[in-house]
Amino acid sequence: MTDTTGATPVRGPALDRIARRLAAVLPPGAVITDPVRLRTYECDGLTHHRAVPGVVVLPETAGQIAAVVRICNEYGVPFVARGAGTGLSGGALPRTDGVLVVTSRMRRVLEVDLPNRRAVVEPGVTNLAITEAVRPHGYYYAPDPSSQQVCTIGGNVAENSGGAHCLKYGFTVNHVLALEIVTPDGDIVTLDADDPGYDLLGAFVGSEGTLGITTKVTVRLLRAPEAVTTLLAAFGSIEQGGRAVSAIIGGGIVPAAIEMMDALAIEAAEAAVACAYPAGAGAVLIVELDGPAAETALQSAEVERVCLESGAFELRTAADPAERAAIWKGRRSAFAAVGRISPAYIVQDGVVPRTALPGVLASIDRLSAEHGIRVANVFHAGDGNLHPLVLFDDAEPGAAERAEAVSGRILDLCVEHGGSITGEHGVGVDKARYMPKMFTDDDLDTMQLVRCAFDSRGLSNPGKVFPTPRLCGEVPGVRRGAHPLVESGRAEQF
Amino acid sequence: MDPDIDPRIGPGIDPGLIGDCVHCGFCLPSCPTYVLWGEEMDSPRGRIHLMGQHVAGTPVTGEMAGHFDACLGCMACVTACPSGVRYDRLIEQTRAVVEREHVRPPADRAVRELVFRLFPYPRRLRAMRLPLRLGTGLRRRIAPALERVSPSLAALADLAPEPVRHRRLPRRVRAVGRRRATVGLLTGCVQGEFFPQVNAATARVLAMEGCEVVIPPAQGCCGALSLHSGRPGQAARFARRTIAAFERAGVDTVVVNAAGCGSTMKDYTGILDGGWADRAAAIRVADLAEYLVELGPVATRHPLPLTAAYHDACHLAHAQGIRSQPRELLAAVPGLELREIAESAICCGSAGTYNILQPEAARELGDRKAERVLATGADLLVSANPGCTMQITAAIRRAGATPIPVAHTAQVLDASLRALREIG
Ligand SMILES: Cc1cc2nc3c(=O)[nH]c(=O)nc-3n(C[C@H](O)[C@H](O)[C@H](O)COP(=O)(O)OP(=O)(O)OC[C@H]3O[C@@H](n4cnc5c(N)ncnc54)[C@H](O)[C@@H]3O)c2cc1C
Ligand code: SF4
Ligand code: SF4
């Protein structure tokens, strides 16, 4: 595995000086410099990239974050934001020479405005806590990553996270109405969806912490649907399940969610949470329909018919929330559950057009057999977002490399089929090297222009998203002249 | 070497168990110390990472020990973890390593010694209660002085409940009506000393439900407090004595009414080896609520018109997975309305000796719990663990709110079965 920088950082006197300056603008106990403590922040959910942060700070207000960022600017050291550290692309991988800004103490729901269906929360509030705050009133926050009980809204905004229900409801970007951010220069500004001019809010969502640090989020709340029907269909094979998915969507139904798991993923979930999915299933499909009761009843009958026609051998329908939770339990736990059947694994995240699903899955099977590496598949089948789980034994020499190779080849497959290298987990540090598979140098340079407009010194989460340090960027304080696009008059720098 | 800390549970921390953690963070929101402080090092994931650092060669530093000491051992993370990480085992092993390798500051050491020489021994505990048997007024007056000397001692005085008359339980209680089963009853050290009325109620309820109840007089501490504090040697000694006592009594099922004792006794096979592990395996341990639900009711329930908030003790809910049974028993009492406490999965801060060894954190958690208990507006708080009862009562007293009466599930059932007007 690539140990990005396993070593304890050489704490130069500069970092100590910075730590003292940071302590002066933060509450007591909010600056961590003890090496043993610092190391617990060395990675996020993707544990094979590690780097011990130079300093960790735990601010409580936007003002404190702004002060921290200004101090970083003064000394020209990079800073990285971190929420709950559940990211799966190494986005919150710290810098040994920089400051890790953790929002875990900023977890207040500041305002719930039901008449206008919005809530204002601090960035460290968990995704699920928003729903819990408004559920008694019949509302909820729609995007629901499987990590929703722990991941923060700040992290969701940075990754533009989605969840099982984004087929019908969309990703984080569709549910954020305004953001308060601290810019990489240390200014506090508000980006509002209603602002005239460029959609800066849209640019910020999904920027993976490279355009600044979110300090306040205004989210849209939805009314809980009148009726929810959840079906579990068991098939002999993935192909049959895939056929059902196409038939459902082709038939004009937009379920809230369509999730599929293959036999290996089912085995893991069974081991972890005893979800009791039908025995012998080669694939299970979870279809959730929501909306007015009459509509979901009609649609659910249609979905049942289509599933049976595609070869389902068992159908279950959840009649109440407890049964629904039982159906979802296996799916929700699937990633972490893989720990039960394999010592180590890589969670991959790619997208293919829905119609290409069967072909891509067959190729993944072939890859798996060729390399002797098991691959469990869990996916948001409705929008073609695959989450292959590449299993290996880290104690076996060479296994990690083979797994890494399989994992990379899966992304190639996605790109070859006109898809993408990430659906919702972001690029981070892990997939930066795959960016050139999807984009030309010109594309990447143009993206860099956006980045430079926000972060001219390249201090905000450097080394992420882009494959190589270039332009205004990655070396603190160094600017390498105008961008070729600017020089050639094809773009303007602002 | 101190025989109390003597390593039965292996020489160190098992790297295999550490490796089971996939760093997903699902356990974070359920961890009381993470809820309080929002720091990685005081979360289950962070603590497992620290254990990993130690296994990889980093010596136990004061900072590291501090984060392990701050862990309540509430096992909420075990419930939350989808990967099945055995944090319970890990923290037991880690605590033993800390006790062995880490030299604590003298004041810390003194308090720990006092606790471990005192709590697991009923007779010593009884003697200790004399100085603690202060009227509420006096207690309030000396509290600030104690606080200055040692927050831990202040916590101890603050917790000790109002004295109750100590009555010896009979060795055997006959079943009422047809005998359906014969069971042993663990009286426990803290339960037995501070809440003897709970044991009496437990014995009566079991008898009224048709059980012959055997109460061996020679039983002492089950070993829970020692086990949860890095003293596996002492714990194993207590475990062996407890097993022998129940063997002599001739019972194969032991009913336990204190959550912490129940979870430890259920794990005896894990802390003993060889012949003792086999003897442990031959005795079935059941929590009172778990046992009563399995047995099914025969006695008539009389109405108790009141609202009750049920508190999930960590060692019941997380360690033994017992959540629905007590609720089911309470809801079956006619006239009783059950209310849920918000954040019920978060520990109240009692956690065995935690409120004595980590008074500040325990107090914050206690205050949080008290606030949520009071918000239910219930007439009665039901708690199945003596530590939780002391902790929550103390927090409510601190808040200056009208004290809410607290009863054990056994006492509520006892009142209903005997058609009492008051729970006692
Ligand atoms: C078991 C498991 C299941 C998952 N399931 C899903 C899923 O279904 N869908 C999905 O989309 N993702 C999923 N994820 C990935 C992850 O939970 C999301 O990416 C989540 O949004 C990360 O949130 P976080 O708070 O943990 O952020 P972190 O991991 O701490 O950070 C992620 C990125 O956000 C940046 N960031 C964090 N906070 C801020 C801030 N305040 N301002 C600016 N930048 C910030 C960081 O710099 C980093 O680049 C899953 C992860 C796990 C471990
Ligand atoms: S046992 Fe409780 S306090 Fe300790 S890490 Fe687990 S959840 Fe946190
Ligand atoms: S939930 Fe389990 S696997 Fe995930 S971080 Fe916590 S202990 Fe580790």
Side-chain angles (χ1 to χ4, degrees), chain B residues 65-192:
Chain B
H67 298 303
F68 295 139
D69 286 350
C71 166
L72 291 116
C74 70
M75 302 308 147
C77 50
V78 176
T79 306
C81 176
S83 293
V85 171
R86 288 298 306 264
Y87 183 85
D88 48 344
R89 284 253 183 291
L90 280 171
I91 192 73
E92 273 167 22
Q93 294 171 351
T94 304
R95 291 207 204 281
V97 166
V98 171
E99 290 312 305
R100 223 170 36 226
E101 295 185 13
H102 179 59
V103 180
R104 296 177 190 282
D108 247 29
R109 267 208 317 266
V111 171
R112 295 179 84 85
E113 274 312 300
L114 178 66
V115 168
F116 294 114
R117 298 270 164 261
L118 200 63
F119 265 62
Y121 300 95
R123 241 170 309 133
R124 297 183 198 169
L125 206 54
R126 201 168 308 150
M128 170 73 186
R129 252 179 12 151
L130 289 175
L132 289 178
R133 215 183 263 185
L134 315 163
T136 331
L138 185 56
R139 192 197 323 249
R140 215 167 281 138
R141 260 182 295 135
I142 68 155
L146 271 181
E147 179 82 51
R148 264 198 313 278
V149 180
S150 152
S152 290
L153 283 182
L156 198 60
D158 201 26
L159 283 173
E162 301 295 322
V164 277
R165 207 148 45 81
H166 198 76
R167 249 171 308 165
R168 200 174 277 285
L169 288 168
R171 285 168 185 237
R172 193 172 279 268
V173 180
R174 300 245 165 261
V176 175
R178 186 176 66 83
R179 191 177 73 195
R180 302 162 76 201
T182 303
V183 297
L185 174 64
L186 180 89
T187 48
C189 33
V190 177
Q191 185 85 285

Side-chain angles (χ1 to χ4, degrees), chain B residues 338-393:
Chain B
L338 199 57
R339 301 229 170 121
E340 286 296 325
I341 302 168
E343 276 191 3
S344 66
I346 303 274
C347 182
C348 66
S350 159
T353 51
Y354 191 84
N355 37 21
I356 297 160
L357 301 177
Q358 300 277 325
E360 289 90 3
R363 182 176 300 203
E364 273 184 72
L365 287 169
D367 292 346
R368 231 181 136 92
K369 187 59 83 180
E371 200 179 291
R372 282 156 182 77
V373 167
L374 293 172
T376 63
D379 311 321
L380 176 75
L381 172 66
V382 181
S383 148
N385 202 42
C388 306
T389 304
M390 294 199 275
Q391 165 78 352
I392 302 174
T393 328

Side-chain angles (χ1 to χ4, degrees), chain A residues 81 83-88 91 146-147 152 155-156 158-159 161-162 208 214 335 424:
Chain A
T86 68
L88 291 170
S146 341
S147 50
T152 67
N156 288 178
E159 300 288 4
S161 297
E208 303 194 21
T214 305
F335 286 5
E424 53 187 18

